């Protein structure tokens, strides 16, 4: 049995926290300073965490290795299991050219570039974030906006800023699922609080987008559809995350936002020629005028409809209980850890939800998609294998970061840092989103940030008397605002629109929005920790 210690270094909490923070500092420096590849930074940080656990905390070597292995397995299933299958569905739509049909369908909804930005970057981008995440929305939406005639820089900026509100529930809820796992908090509780924070961003982001596209004139002329879109998105995200399923939150929000936008008459009016001339500095793709058969348009939308339908069916109580019956629980080998109070930690047991997990449901939707789109089974399997190959470095990064997080959590390193950080007292609520923001800005992933800092936030909350669910959620909600300034996302955006080497230009344009919206989130969390906005929490 291994008993976690809070002050293993010279019986000093400060020195112990300093040593415990070394793996995180190494990862952040290698990523942000040295600009090392993310997977090398993750692997180096994992080695550092293992050495600290073994040498400083006295965790037996076999238990250190075992905890890292459990983190890596959790990274593979359910996290990467979701991402791979979701991206596989997207690849099949590209292969059958139904994605092009979808893009043309969006282009015909309105010729107003301000409305197009909301439809493509905010609504469809949220749907892509829900299904795939990990940079896919920025890359795809940037290309689509350029095809609609947007200037490449403006297209990239709009796509980056739009990729905020849906991030916490992206990749079928992967960030909040990870957050619940590493903190030991119930998924429903964490998702519920996040669903009372990020929807507030959704009220603001559409207005920011029309302002980015067309300045004050854009706000003055299109604030009504922008507000309708934001309100519908926020309401659906709140309702789904609190009362339905965290995995469906972004899908419901994206569809509701798009529906509200289409329903507003002002959104369908032809744009003034002056607006099109001043905003669309590029030339729209010629294929936008191509007419697509109604049957093919319906097939283009089918994959997303199938995912919504399958996830909705999975939430029916009888079906949910049946799926949960396949869940298996195992005593994890070579791992026997108790906290300083002598209570066993959750890592001693590994839960494997074979069927009742988002990745398996997306896989089922993918099989149905292959049938609907007419993709031969052999081709579908080849596309799945190609998806794994495309994500090979992301797979290595995620598994190494999750392994690092598990070693830090199970050895007691995260608890030590949490006790030390708790000295901030009431000010911790205001600062907690900043930690998540910083983690995503460096790692480019809300999932990775939650894995790194989630347990730390909960430990600090316990020590300072604040709500663990609130600070854990704040880590994810603050993290979504770091996505637009992460080097990975900036590089993806530049590569997508042909602006290689101009990441610095994009950073200067989006940084003020990232910091400004972060300040708003800090005030929201601080208010929710007090009587001012405490009524918002469940």
């Amino acid at each position: 049995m291994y008993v976690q210690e809070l002050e293993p270094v010279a019986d000093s909490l400060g020195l112990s926290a300093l040593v415990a923070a070394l793996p995180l500092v190494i990862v952040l420096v290698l990523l942000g300073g040295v600009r090392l590849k993310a997977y090398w930074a993750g692997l180096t940080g994992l080695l550092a965490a293992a050495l600290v656990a073994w040498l400083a905390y006295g965790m037996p070597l076999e238990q250190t290795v075992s905890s890292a292995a459990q983190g890596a397995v959790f990274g593979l299933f359910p996290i990467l299991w979701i991402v791979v299958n979701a991206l596989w569905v997207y690849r099949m739509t590209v292969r059958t050219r139904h994605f092009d049909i979808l893009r043309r369908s969006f282009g015909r909804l309105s010729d107003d570039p301000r409305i197009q930005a909301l439809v493509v970057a905010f609504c469809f981008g949220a749907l892509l974030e829900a299904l795939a995440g990990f940079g896919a929305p920025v890359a795809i939406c940037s290309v689509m906006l350029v095809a609609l005639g947007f200037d490449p820089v403006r297209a990239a900026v709009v796509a980056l800023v739009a990729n905020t509100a849906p991030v916490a529930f992206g990749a079928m809820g992967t960030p909040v699922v990870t957050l619940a796992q590493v903190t030991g908090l119930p998924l429903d509780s964490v998702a519920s609080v996040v669903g009372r924070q990020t929807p507030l961003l959704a009220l603001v982001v559409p207005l920011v987008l029309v302002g980015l596209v067309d300045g004050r004139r854009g706000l003055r002329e299109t604030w009504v559809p922008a507000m309708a879109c934001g309100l519908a998105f926020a309401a659906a995200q709140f309702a789904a995350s609190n009362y339905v399923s965290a995995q469906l939150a972004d899908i419901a929000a994206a569809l509701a936002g798009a529906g509200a936008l289409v329903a507003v008459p002002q959104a369908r009016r032809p744009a003034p020629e002056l607006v099109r001339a001043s905003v669309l500095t590029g030339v729209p793709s010629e294929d936008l005028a191509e007419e697509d058969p109604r049957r093919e348009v319906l097939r283009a939308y089918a994959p997303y409809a199938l995912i919504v339908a399958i996830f909705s069916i999975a939430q029916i109580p009888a079906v949910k209980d049946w799926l949960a019956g396949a869940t298996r629980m195992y005593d994890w080998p070579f791992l026997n850890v108790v906290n300083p109070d002598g209570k066993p930690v959750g890592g001693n047991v590994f839960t494997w939800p074979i069927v009742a997990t988002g990745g398996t449901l997306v896989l089922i939707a993918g099989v149905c998609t292959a049938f609907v789109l007419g993709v031969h089974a052999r081709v579908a399997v080849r596309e799945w294998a190609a998806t794994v190959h495309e994500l090979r470095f992301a797979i290595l990064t995620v598994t190494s970061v999750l392994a690092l997080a598990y070693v830090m959590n199970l050895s007691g390193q995260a608890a030590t840092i949490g006790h030390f950080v708790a000295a901030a007292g009431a000010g911790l609520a205001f600062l907690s989103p900043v930690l998540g923001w910083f983690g995503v800005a460096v790692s480019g992933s809300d999932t990775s940030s939650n894995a790194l800092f989630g347990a730390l936030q909960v430990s600090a909350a316990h020590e300072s008397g604040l709500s663990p669910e609130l600070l854990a959620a704040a880590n994810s909600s603050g993290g979504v605002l770091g996505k637009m300034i992460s080097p990975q996302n900036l590089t993806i955006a530049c590569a997508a629109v042909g602006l290689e080497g101009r990441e610095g230009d994009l950073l200067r344009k989006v940084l003020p929005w990232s910091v400004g919206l972060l300040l708003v989130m800090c005030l929201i969390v601080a208010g929710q920790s007090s009587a001012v906005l405490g009524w918002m929490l469940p």
Side-chain angles (χ1 to χ4, degrees), residues 37 253 388 454:
K37 295 289 187 182
V388 174

Side-chain angles (χ1 to χ4, degrees), residues 159-170:
L160 285 165
V161 175
N163 191 221
T164 49
V167 168
F169 296 103

Side-chain angles (χ1 to χ4, degrees), residues 169 188 191-192 194-199 231-250 252-253 256 315:
F169 296 103
D188 290 344
S192 178
V194 175
R196 294 162 194 250
Q197 294 171 344
T198 55
L231 280 168
F233 187 102
Q237 192 181 61
F238 163 75
S241 60
N242 278 267
Y243 306 113
V244 184
S245 165
Q247 285 90 344
L248 284 177
D250 277 349
Q315 298 309 310

Side-chain angles (χ1 to χ4, degrees), residues 170-241:
M172 309 309 296
T174 298
V176 290
V177 169
T178 303
L179 185 61
Q181 181 72 19
V182 300
T183 59
L185 298 172
L187 173 60
D188 290 344
S189 299
V190 174
S192 178
V193 179
V194 175
R196 294 162 194 250
Q197 294 171 344
T198 55
L200 298 176
L201 292 176
L203 299 175
V204 180
V205 172
L207 295 171
V208 173
L209 294 179
V210 296
L212 286 170
V213 172
D214 195 28
R216 293 182 180 178
R217 179 179 58 189
L219 283 170
R220 186 174 62 252
E221 296 180 357
T222 57
W223 70 269
V224 173
M227 280 297 297
C229 179
L231 280 168
F233 187 102
Q237 192 181 61
F238 163 75
S241 60

Side-chain angles (χ1 to χ4, degrees), residues 146-500:
V146 170
L148 291 170
F150 278 67
D151 169 75
V153 173
R154 182 174 287 165
V157 170
V158 167
L160 285 165
V161 175
N163 191 221
T164 49
V167 168
F169 296 103
M172 309 309 296
T174 298
V176 290
V177 169
T178 303
L179 185 61
Q181 181 72 19
V182 300
T183 59
L185 298 172
L187 173 60
D188 290 344
S189 299
V190 174
S192 178
V193 179
V194 175
R196 294 162 194 250
Q197 294 171 344
T198 55
L200 298 176
L201 292 176
L203 299 175
V204 180
V205 172
L207 295 171
V208 173
L209 294 179
V210 296
L212 286 170
V213 172
D214 195 28
R216 293 182 180 178
R217 179 179 58 189
L219 283 170
R220 186 174 62 252
E221 296 180 357
T222 57
W223 70 269
V224 173
M227 280 297 297
C229 179
L231 280 168
F233 187 102
Q237 192 181 61
F238 163 75
S241 60
N242 278 267
Y243 306 113
V244 184
S245 165
Q247 285 90 344
L248 284 177
D250 277 349
I251 294 176
L255 296 176
L261 197 58
V262 172
V264 176
Q266 188 175 340
R268 300 194 301 275
R269 294 174 188 164
E273 190 61 38
L274 178 64
V275 173
R276 290 200 299 270
S278 61
V279 174
L280 297 181
T281 53
V283 179
S285 295
E286 294 180 0
D287 71 342
L288 289 177
E290 182 179 336
E291 287 295 329
D292 297 302
R294 180 179 295 273
R295 180 172 179 271
E296 294 304 310
V297 173
L298 291 175
R299 291 175 73 191
Y301 282 91
Y304 311 104
L306 284 168
I307 289 174
V308 172
I310 289 171
F311 269 83
S312 299
I313 292 171
Q315 298 309 310
I316 298 173
V319 178
K320 191 173 185 177
D321 292 341
W322 179 73
L323 294 175
T327 299
R328 298 290 180 265
M329 298 182 68
Y330 304 95
D331 289 329
W332 191 258
F334 308 111
L335 200 61
N336 184 14
V337 181
V338 296
N339 64 22
D341 297 328
K343 298 179 181 178
V345 301
N348 296 328
V349 177
F350 182 76
T351 302
W352 185 22
I354 302 173
V355 182
T357 185
T360 302
L361 297 178
V362 175
L363 177 65
I364 296 170
V367 173
C368 296
T369 294
F371 176 77
V372 171
L373 299 185
V375 180
H376 192 277
R378 184 173 58 255
V379 175
V381 171
R382 192 183 305 132
E383 284 297 321
W384 194 91
T387 303
V388 174
H389 182 264
E390 179 183 337
L391 291 173
R392 62 193 184 282
F393 294 120
I395 291 172
L396 187 55
T397 300
V398 171
T399 52
S400 63
V401 169
L402 263 295
L404 180 156
Y406 267 60
V407 170
M408 291 191 65
N409 293 343
L410 292 175
S411 66
Q413 295 173 60
T416 297
I417 299 173
H419 280 70
F420 183 75
V421 172
L428 182 61
F430 182 84
L431 295 174
S432 58
V434 179
L435 191 59
W437 174 83
F438 184 66
V440 176
V442 172
S443 69
S445 166
D446 201 36
T447 298
S448 296
S449 178
N450 287 343
L452 289 171
F453 300 131
L456 185 155
Q457 297 266 23
V458 170
S459 296
H462 284 305
E463 288 303 305
S464 59
L466 294 171
S467 165
E469 290 83 3
L470 175 62
L471 294 200
N475 192 85
S476 192
S477 298
V480 306
L481 300 169
K483 194 87 182 246
M484 69 179 84
I485 63 169
S486 69
Q488 292 91 323
N489 255 23
L490 291 170
T491 301
I492 288 171
C494 285
V497 298
L499 296 174
E500 288 85 352

